[in-house]
Amino acid sequence: MITEPLTRLSTSVPGLDNLLLGGIPRGRTTLITGRSGTGKSVMSLQMAASLAQQGMTTILLAVEESPADLRQTGDSLGLDLSGLEQAGALVITDVNRPEDGAVVASGEYDVFGLVHRIESLVAAHGASALVLDSATALFSPRPSDERMRQHFFHLISAFRRLNLTSIVIAEARQDYGALTTLGVEDFVCDLTIVLRNIMDGGRRRRSIEVNKYRRSGHFKGEYPCTITTKGLAVFPVDAKEYPAEWEERERYSSGVEGLDEMTSGGWLRNSIVIVRGPTGAGKTILAGVYARAGAERGERVVYYGFEETRATLLRNYRELGLDLQPLIDSGSLRVICRYPEATSLEDLLVDLRVDLEEFKPSLIVLDSISSIEHASSERGFRQFMIGVASILRQHGRSALITQTVVAGMSGEHAAPYLSTIADAILALDYSVDSYELHRTMRVIKSRGSAHASHPYRLAIDGSGIHVQKMSPSDIRHQLRGSSDGK
């Protein structure tokens, strides 16, 4: 038996083709399932527009909503369904049942009338793709389970016989369990995509999962997604390799001379640096210096603050001699402040992706991810951080991320996924003797780079931040002072 090679078609849904290792299968059926409100129709419209734009005349069977409503939704998302219709690339057909009066079921339910209608549409328009929204509404009233399986099989078989790349939407009763309310599951579909919108830690969290992809590899598990003004966007882990030019061992300054000495000349380009430390250790100041140094070099920088208002943050920097306003006015630096409680993690990922694609910064600052962690569940935060790392890796950008920990635990083992995504970890800490507060800085790790193995002294004053090498006697004295302070 000779199996025909699998040809993939792009969905144009941001991030989804990564999960599918290229796209949906040509000439086969894709099932999109999930509860109401998970984004099934939005994603199917994106796919319909994408197929039409790729030169495949696409039929959109409107069962639940009228063609006018689908057209309006698609146009509002920037998909230009009206324009595709006028060009003949998209055909929207109304197969809604009459709404007035009672529906009387008489005789055996069958789909052959619909199949004949689809055959005529395919022949008349030369269509090679079809979207059915939705099978759940189509099979209503619902026939018996046995008849349902037969009808669904005949419908999908007709799509295959007509060599249609088909997308079928179906409703699910719950997020986890039976895939559809039809009882047919996905036994005749080559690709099954599950969308979810669950309550997690008191907040809604959207996710997507490729449940099955026949004859094809795909990314396993759930990945965060969200609905934007342009449609659904997915945030998978992207393991593809960087272009060769991104792997050059270029270094750039942190903005602090002593810290550059600790890291053998500065941070490596396209690296993710996590700065850990307790409140008051100097993380935010270090983040501001990092951002200012990049902008003054002529790089574009985006600073995301999650703990203070923008006005307060800029005032505090100004009082320390770090006036960022001229760099903001010049267009080199963007400072965006918001409270994580006022938005969703998925929307934060969207903003990051949009800024990377439109503003094209080379440096990113996130201060502090601990505020995000406290405003989400453990699972949601983990997915968010993996999504952040994925976007940064995909675009080949450098980032400095601050994290608040308990004093004395900066060098302790953190969540495994945070340690894994970080190329470098910088630990800030302090100790207190009877009179002085002693701040220190230590490089815990720095992939691909030599670095100082001992701590340096960190000082903060009205002129900014200063890092100096410590002698062994200084270190012993500080350790004794810390012990006495306890």
Side-chain angles (χ1 to χ4, degrees):
M1 178 179 177
I2 300 177
T3 303
E4 62 186 76
L6 180 69
T7 301
R8 291 179 171 84
L9 298 169
S10 173
T11 64
S12 294
V13 177
L16 180 57
D17 289 347
N18 295 62
L19 290 184
L20 302 175
L21 302 183
I24 61 175
R26 179 189 287 271
R28 303 288 178 143
T29 297
T30 296
L31 176 67
I32 302 174
T33 181
R35 292 190 302 108
S36 176
T38 53
K40 302 184 300 297
S41 292
V42 169
M43 189 164 78
S44 70
L45 291 179
Q46 289 173 268
M47 290 183 175
S50 177
L51 294 173
Q53 290 164 358
Q54 293 175 61
M56 302 177 65
T57 302
T58 303
I59 298 171
L60 176 54
L61 297 180
V63 183
E64 280 193 307
E65 298 183 74
S66 68
D69 288 340
L70 291 177
R71 193 178 297 114
Q72 182 179 16
T73 299
D75 289 347
S76 68
L77 294 172
L79 301 176
D80 191 24
L81 298 191
S82 297
L84 292 171
E85 251 191 314
Q86 293 172 4
L90 180 68
V91 179
I92 304 180
T93 301
D94 190 353
V95 289
N96 274 304
R97 296 177 180 276
E99 295 183 358
D100 296 331
V103 176
V104 179
S106 177
E108 290 289 340
Y109 183 101
D110 69 59
V111 296
F112 294 108
L114 177 61
V115 169
H116 293 322
R117 184 173 178 181
I118 292 171
E119 288 173 340
S120 298
L121 288 168
V122 170
H125 299 280
S128 55
L130 178 142
V131 175
L132 172 59
D133 184 10
S134 73
T136 304
L138 181 66
F139 294 106
S140 178
R142 190 181 187 282
S144 66
D145 291 346
E146 182 179 356
R147 295 292 292 171
M148 172 65 76
R149 291 178 67 87
Q150 291 176 356
H151 292 319
F152 196 77
F153 176 79
H154 287 314
L155 186 63
I156 303 304
S157 296
F159 296 160
R160 180 71 188 278
R161 174 170 49 82
L162 294 169
N163 197 30
L164 292 172
T165 299
S166 54
I167 298 163
V168 176
I169 295 175
E171 195 83 9
R173 288 191 179 89
Q174 54 193 1
D175 290 300
Y176 300 95
L179 292 178
T180 72
T181 60
L182 302 175
V184 296
E185 302 308 309
D186 61 342
F187 71 103
V188 293
C189 299
D190 287 76
L191 169 60
T192 304
I193 299 172
V194 182
L195 295 174
R196 299 185 177 98
N197 185 20
I198 66 173
M199 287 296 296
D200 183 11
R203 298 165 67 97
R204 284 284 176 186
R205 176 174 59 83
R206 293 186 183 272
S207 69
I208 186 169
E209 179 184 3
V210 180
N211 179 268
K212 179 186 84 170
Y213 199 158
R214 189 172 291 155
R215 299 184 299 119
S216 174
H218 56 87
F219 278 53
K220 310 300 191 296
E222 289 185 79
Y223 293 89
C225 64
T226 191
I227 296 178
T228 73
T229 56
K230 297 181 180 180
L232 194 83
V234 182
F235 304 95
V237 174
D238 192 337
K240 67 183 181 182
E241 296 183 357
Y242 301 148
E245 62 269 20
W246 292 358
E247 292 295 344
E248 297 177 0
R249 293 180 59 81
E250 176 192 348
R251 291 183 183 272
Y252 64 98
S253 174
S254 65
V256 181
E257 184 177 348
L259 179 53
D260 290 346
E261 178 184 326
M262 295 178 71
T263 55
S264 299
W267 301 119
L268 286 172
R269 184 65 67 178
N270 306 323
S271 61
I272 298 175
V273 180
I274 292 183
V275 179
R276 290 198 205 123
T279 299
K283 303 183 300 298
T284 297
I285 297 175
L286 190 65
V289 172
Y290 176 94
R292 184 185 67 170
E296 288 181 340
R297 287 193 300 269
E299 300 186 53
R300 290 187 173 185
V301 185
V302 176
Y303 186 116
Y304 295 96
F306 302 111
E307 293 187 331
E308 300 171 284
T309 64
R310 189 173 186 271
T312 300
L313 181 70
L314 294 179
R315 181 207 63 191
N316 292 345
Y317 280 139
R318 189 168 54 250
E319 292 300 314
L320 288 168
L322 299 173
D323 189 0
L324 301 182
Q325 193 60 52
L327 297 170
I328 295 173
D329 295 339
S330 71
S332 299
L333 174 65
R334 285 185 180 177
V335 177
I336 302 169
C337 294
R338 61 177 62 179
Y339 292 114
E341 294 83 357
T343 186
S344 71
L345 302 187
E346 293 77 21
D347 287 340
L348 292 175
L349 289 175
V350 170
D351 291 343
L352 176 58
R353 173 180 276 169
V354 170
D355 284 336
L356 286 172
E357 293 175 352
E358 296 183 356
F359 185 57
K360 301 186 184 305
S362 55
L363 302 181
I364 307 293
V365 174
L366 299 178
D367 178 41
S368 144
I369 59 169
S370 298
S371 296
I372 300 173
E373 182 178 13
H374 298 155
S376 60
S377 68
E378 180 180 357
R379 185 175 185 179
F381 178 67
R382 180 181 184 277
Q383 286 191 338
F384 171 78
M385 289 307 304
I386 291 174
V388 167
S390 172
I391 294 172
L392 293 172
R393 304 292 190 201
Q394 181 180 356
H395 290 81
R397 297 295 184 260
S398 303
L400 186 140
I401 301 171
T402 68
Q403 178 190 17
T404 301
V405 297
V406 177
M409 298 184 65
S410 299
E412 299 295 322
H413 182 70
Y417 56 88
L418 287 179
S419 299
T420 301
I421 68 174
D423 297 292
I425 297 178
L426 184 66
L428 308 186
D429 217 329
Y430 57 73
S431 61
V432 181
D433 59 22
S434 58
Y435 183 72
E436 293 286 347
L437 176 69
H438 302 282
R439 291 188 175 93
T440 58
M441 173 185 291
R442 185 192 291 269
V443 179
I444 302 298
K445 84 168 185 178
S446 184
R447 286 180 184 148
S449 173
H451 56 86
S453 58
H454 53 272
Y456 274 50
R457 179 181 290 111
L458 172 64
I460 301 172
D461 57 29
S463 61
I465 189 168
H466 311 281
V467 175
Q468 297 176 331
K469 193 172 184 177
M470 297 175 66
S471 67
S473 60
D474 290 335
I475 297 173
R476 287 193 295 271
H477 174 76
Q478 185 161 317
L479 289 174
R480 282 197 302 272
S482 175
S483 177
D484 293 342
K486 293 178 182 178

